[in-house]
Every structure is written in C-alpha cells, then in structure tokens.
Amino acid sequence: MKQETKCLHSGYEPQNGEPRQLPIYQSTTWKYATSDEMGKLFDLEASGYFYTRLQNPTNDTVAAKIADLEGGVAAMLTSSGQAANFFALFNICETGSHIVASSAIYGGTYNLLGTTMKKMGIEVTFVDQTLTEEELAKAFKPNTRAVFGETITNPTVSVLDIEKFARLAHSHGVPLVVDNTFATPINCQPIKWGADIVTHSTTKYMDGHAVAVGGAIVDSGNFDWMAHAEKYPGLTTPDESYHGIVYAEKFGKLGYITKATSQLMRDLGSIQSPQNAFYLMNGLESLHVRVERHCSNALAIAKFLKENDKVAWVCYPNLEGDEYYELAKKYLPNGSCGVLAFGIKGGREKSIEFMDSLKLCTIATHVADAKTCLLHPASHTHRQMTEEQLIEAGVAPDLIRLSVGIENVDDLIDDLKQAFEKI
C-alpha cells in the first residue's frame, strides 16, 4: 500500500462483525483461566496482554501503523516525545557510554542529553551537523554507543544529511537514531536513508490537533546487535530479571523493541494511555492530507516573509536559495513541514512586539498542529540555555518559530501584514 492508504488501513484489520474503528481497551489488566498461562506471559514465553503498563491492544495497533509508515519491523508508544528519545537511547546506553548528537536539536532534547543523562553517567558530544565526515569523525570515542539527530531540526528547520550520519555511525559500529517528528513518514522515511531507529513526538503532526501528548519509537531491524555484542550487553547478554533471556538472540529483529517494552517500560512506566493512542489513531488517518496543506501554506508564507522589508532573514528548507534547499530536494522532495524560522529587523525586542500584535496566529508552546502558532525560542523553549549554548544550537536571539497551520493561507498572510504594520 502507498503511504496515504497505510494512514487509513494499516495496523487494524477488523474481522467480520468487529468494530470498524479501533476500540479503546481502557483496562489495566486481563483475565486468565490458569496461573500457568499468566506465568508464561511474565516469562516472555507467550504473547498476550496482562498489564497495560507493558502492552495494550489499542497502543500496539497504533504502534504497528507507525512502524509500517516508517518501514520498520516494530514500534512502541511512549507517554511523550521526550520519553521516546530517552528510551530509544537508554535502551542501548548505560553508565560510561557516549553519544554523538547534533547540536541543532530541540532544546528539551539538548537538556535531556546534556544535563539529565549526564547525571546518569552518559556523556554526549554535540556537533555541528554541517561539518564534513572527517571533522565529525573526531567526535567519536571508543565508548560511543549511538548517534542522534533530527530530520528537520526544531526550531532552526535545518535538514540532517541522514546518509552522511548513517555512514559515520555504521563505520564506528553504532546505530543512527533520528527524530522524524517534523518531517513525518509522509515526507521522509529515515530508515530508507540508513537510519536504524526512528523516534517521534506523536504530539505534533501525527496527532495533529493538540489534544494528546505522546511519543513513538520505531526499530528498522537492520542493526546487527550481535555483531557488536561487546558494545550492547543489555541486548546481547542474559537479562537476569527475565531468567537470563538474551533479547537479540531470542527475539532477533524484535529484540530492541522487546527489551525497551519489557524492561524499560516495566521499570520506568512512561506509557501512552489507550485514550491518547485512540486520538493518535484518528490523527494518523488524515496525516497525509494535513501535511500536504501544512507544507503548501508554509512555503507561501516563507515567500511572503522573504519579500518583506521588515524581515531580516527566513529559513525554510523548500524555499529556493535556502541553505538546506539541496538537502531538502534529496530527502524531502514532496515538502518538508509546516514550520519555518525567521527574524525581524530590530532584533529580539521587535520580534516580541511583532508576536504580541498578531490576532489569528497565537503564541503557544506547541508546534505542528492544525492551527497556526508561534513562539520565541530564546524566551520560551530554549530559555534555560546559556547564550553560548543558544549560539551552538543555532538559535538566534531574534528567531521566531512559526508553525503554519491548515487555515486559508490568505487569512494567515493578512494577519502577518497587520502585525508588521504595527512595528
């Protein structure tokens, strides 16, 4: 099936007499007739459901759809995009491990890697993703266990050269983890370009309506954990908490997601609720339609901003002349996303004055949903970062992140015009 059809039909196939829409299994537990049946589930010797913190039919159905859209072998849902990125990395890292990550990633993820995971004894080296392979290779260490980046960075909307980073990661015997939130699998499937693990904040375009926080992890099944067994003992040596199971041996290509579910979700519990998974399923059904409209609106607004004499600069990958235009043509030929970044002449103060003058476009922490919203990262999402860290992440003091919705684009441009007239 093509992506548009997968959005509607993949994951859930109702049988004769069953509900056409995915049911919400709003239950914490499942009943079994014998103790032995339940015991086999706890030993991972049988498949089935016994406690929603570990697995739930609603969640698993939605995860299967996302895995199919991304071209992966398995997926799992989490309580948020932050939980997805944490689980994706912590599943293969431990105290003493090292991660190479793009410095242009979302501020919350930057803090997760550089502050919280650092406290756990996991070191990170942030790199300029535009550097050459030779320069980037210097960031790798003997204890490097993963490489991390975003297909389209938040909020600077730069494009990751996925093939370059995949080559680097694989030449050092480690997987590439890519956050594909902004592009969605409609506009890019990182696995096709060499990524091994893909993450999402499903809160964004996948949900699309700002009603349900959630995350997802997709495993390509392509990384050979046993070939690098000494680096990934959690997957390649016995797990004594499950009677000595070796995940990569027992579950093969499903080993990574099985470990993340049965071990990390068991112990850390960052589950997405079945109700939120149901909302997500509904959002996924229209993903292909909405993403196309987001992209066409954003390109029209990017062109409008570029011609406005009060605008200092505009960043949008599909805007001809953009620094990432050629990479966008390669990885995102059908469009990138509905998010763009721009700055206003006069700097930070004028940017804030402009934002406060808007009427239809609203100031909100959120991004990538049906309604247009914007924020000032230096004052909001990246507020905890120092000036040096902001510069390293490419977040200019005047940068405005505009998340273009699916309204009529003329109405959006009219709102921008009236705000420009007031500054």
Side-chain angles (χ1 to χ4, degrees), residues 245-312:
I245 282 175
V246 178
Y247 294 100
E249 286 183 349
K250 185 175 180 63
F251 300 102
K253 289 182 178 293
L254 302 179
Y256 174 88
I257 289 294
T258 301
K259 176 180 180 293
T261 302
S262 58
Q263 189 185 85
L264 298 190
M265 194 64 81
R266 176 197 66 188
D267 296 342
L268 301 174
S270 298
I271 186 175
Q272 185 169 148
S273 74
Q275 184 75 45
N276 279 15
F278 174 77
Y279 293 143
L280 173 56
M281 188 70 154
N282 287 341
L284 287 168
E285 289 191 350
S286 64
L287 181 64
H288 57 293
V289 180
R290 290 184 287 103
V291 165
E292 184 177 354
R293 180 61 174 265
H294 281 293
C295 291
S296 63
N297 277 1
L299 182 57
I301 288 177
K303 290 177 178 178
F304 162 76
L305 291 171
K306 190 175 182 180
E307 296 170 358
N308 191 297
D309 59 7
K310 293 185 179 181
V311 174

Side-chain angles (χ1 to χ4, degrees), residues 151 159-165 187-189 193 326-335:
T151 308
V159 179
L160 183 72
D161 191 340
I162 303 171
E163 281 193 316
K164 178 176 77 173
F165 274 81
N187 283 343
C188 184
Q189 293 173 293
W193 299 101
E326 292 303 320
L327 279 178
K329 282 204 302 184
K330 176 180 178 178
Y331 295 114
L332 306 153
N334 298 319

